[in-house]
């Protein structure tokens, strides 16, 4: 099968917390296990990309070094996006997001795009990509789109599902074919408000029109979905399988390697 594709996963951050019983006062960077296993399921070699910035920085390692080494980038889910990243102030203190992670992931995205390497965004990753290329977000769907579905339910978490509809003749619709609708999980309370220039919508929530998938036109491959395909149980045939999306991304990474 040749050399395995090396796919970078952006880190999640747990910032210093004096009340945490372990690594008290230290910054933790980590990945969620399901994302790693999802990439491994297709034979890729996932590698977390730690941020080289911070109070304990040593040496001259940069994000460019990781972008040179790796074949593609996945922006995983996690904390809210800081509204200042798209020129707004938080409507509520609890929607302040993670400015440090935003700056790290936007810089990471630019490093991979500059090298013509593919980027796939998952949940928060979709929001980061939209902001990185000039779009904006709803800080809270329930407040700003009151007629919308409940897109995040803390009690059931990844067992909160709804239906999406693919936009006909888009890449995503081609990947999945008929039927043009599917059931996915929903774990977000922020969503795209103004779509970034150069992007197109590939799927929307069937009942309220909330954007669920986007793709940037042209090269390199930049695409994102609002749901978590890595959380879908492959044995549950009522849910949209993650395989076609993952295979498409890895095909782009393989093509970039051989150019």
């Amino acid at each position: 099968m040749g050399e395995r594709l090396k796919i970078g996963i952006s880190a999640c951050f747990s910032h210093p917390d004096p009340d945490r019983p372990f690594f008290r006062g230290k910054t933790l960077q980590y990945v969620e296990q399901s994302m790693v296993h999802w990439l491994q399921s297709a034979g890729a070699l996932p590698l977390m990309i730690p941020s080289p910035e911070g109070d304990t920085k040593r040496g001259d390692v940069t994000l460019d070094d990781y972008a040179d080494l790796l074949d593609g980038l996945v922006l995983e889910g996690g904390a809210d996006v800081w509204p200042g990243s798209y020129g707004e102030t938080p409507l509520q203190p609890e929607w302040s997001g993670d400015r440090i992670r935003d700056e790290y992931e936007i810089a990471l995205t630019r490093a991979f795009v500059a090298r013509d390497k593919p980027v796939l965004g998952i949940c928060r990753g979709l929001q980061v990509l939209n902001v990185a290329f000039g779009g904006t977000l709803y800080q809270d769907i329930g407040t700003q789109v009151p007629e919308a579905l409940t897109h995040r339910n803390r009690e059931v978490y990844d067992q909160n599902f709804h239906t999406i509809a693919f936009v006909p003749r888009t890449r995503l619709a081609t990947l999945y074919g008929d039927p043009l609708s599917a059931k996915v999980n929903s774990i977000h309370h922020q969503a795209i408000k103004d779509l970034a220039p150069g992007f197109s919508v590939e799927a929307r929530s069937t009942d309220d029109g909330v954007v669920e998938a986007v793709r940037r036109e042209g090269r390199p491959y930049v695409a994102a979905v609002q749901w978590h395909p890595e959380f879908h149980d492959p044995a549950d045939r009522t849910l949209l399988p993650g395989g076609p999306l993952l295979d498409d991304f890895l095909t782009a990474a393989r093509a970039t390697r051989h150019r």
Side-chain angles (χ1 to χ4, degrees), residues 197-213:
F199 278 69
S200 58
V201 174
E202 295 203 309
R204 292 183 180 273
S205 171
T206 305
D207 293 322
D208 56 22
V210 168
V211 174
E212 292 284 336

Side-chain angles (χ1 to χ4, degrees), residues 194-238:
D194 298 309
L195 187 66
F199 278 69
S200 58
V201 174
E202 295 203 309
R204 292 183 180 273
S205 171
T206 305
D207 293 322
D208 56 22
V210 168
V211 174
E212 292 284 336
V214 297
R215 188 175 300 268
R216 185 170 178 250
E217 299 160 10
R219 287 175 41 188
Y221 179 112
V222 177
V225 298
Q226 187 62 80
W227 64 92
H228 284 261
E230 76 277 18
F231 290 169
H232 281 180
D233 181 355
D236 187 343
R237 296 185 178 275
T238 70

Side-chain angles (χ1 to χ4, degrees), residues 1-14:
M1 62 177 290
E3 184 182 356
R4 293 185 186 277
L5 290 170
K6 297 185 287 292
I7 302 299
I9 305 175
S10 64
C12 297
F13 287 67
S14 181

Side-chain angles (χ1 to χ4, degrees), residues 32-39 41 74-77 120-126 158 161 164 172 176 183-187 212-213 221 223-236 239-247 249:
E32 198 282 322
Q33 177 176 268
S34 299
M35 178 60 73
V36 172
H37 290 175
W38 186 53
L39 290 166
S41 73
V74 175
L75 300 174
E76 67 173 325
L120 177 64
I122 303 296
C123 197
R124 169 190 158 89
L126 173 144
D158 63 338
F161 300 107
I164 61 167
L172 202 60
Y176 284 99
K183 187 170 77 170
V184 299
N185 59 38
S186 187
I187 320 173
E212 292 284 336
Y221 179 112
V225 298
Q226 187 62 80
W227 64 92
H228 284 261
E230 76 277 18
F231 290 169
H232 281 180
D233 181 355
D236 187 343
L239 298 177
L240 184 71
L245 175 66
L246 178 57
D247 290 344
F249 167 66

Side-chain angles (χ1 to χ4, degrees), residues 23-90:
F23 292 106
R24 184 178 301 172
K26 303 299 182 182
T27 298
L28 306 182
Q29 299 183 34
Y30 63 95
V31 294
E32 198 282 322
Q33 177 176 268
S34 299
M35 178 60 73
V36 172
H37 290 175
W38 186 53
L39 290 166
Q40 289 175 336
S41 73
L45 184 65
L47 299 164
M48 189 190 84
I49 304 175
S51 171
E53 301 299 325
D55 294 340
T56 58
K57 180 178 179 179
R58 300 290 187 272
D60 60 357
V61 173
T62 69
L63 295 178
D64 288 337
D65 294 318
Y66 289 97
D68 287 334
L69 173 70
L70 301 172
D71 298 306
L73 169 65
V74 175
L75 300 174
E76 67 173 325
D80 287 351
V81 175
W82 174 56
S85 296
Y86 47 95
E88 295 185 9
T89 57

Side-chain angles (χ1 to χ4, degrees), residues 125-145:
L126 173 144
Q127 297 161 15
V128 168
L129 286 174
N130 191 58
V131 168
F133 288 94
T136 66
L137 304 176
Y138 291 116
Q139 293 185 35
D140 180 67
I141 296 171
T143 301
Q144 296 178 281
V145 193

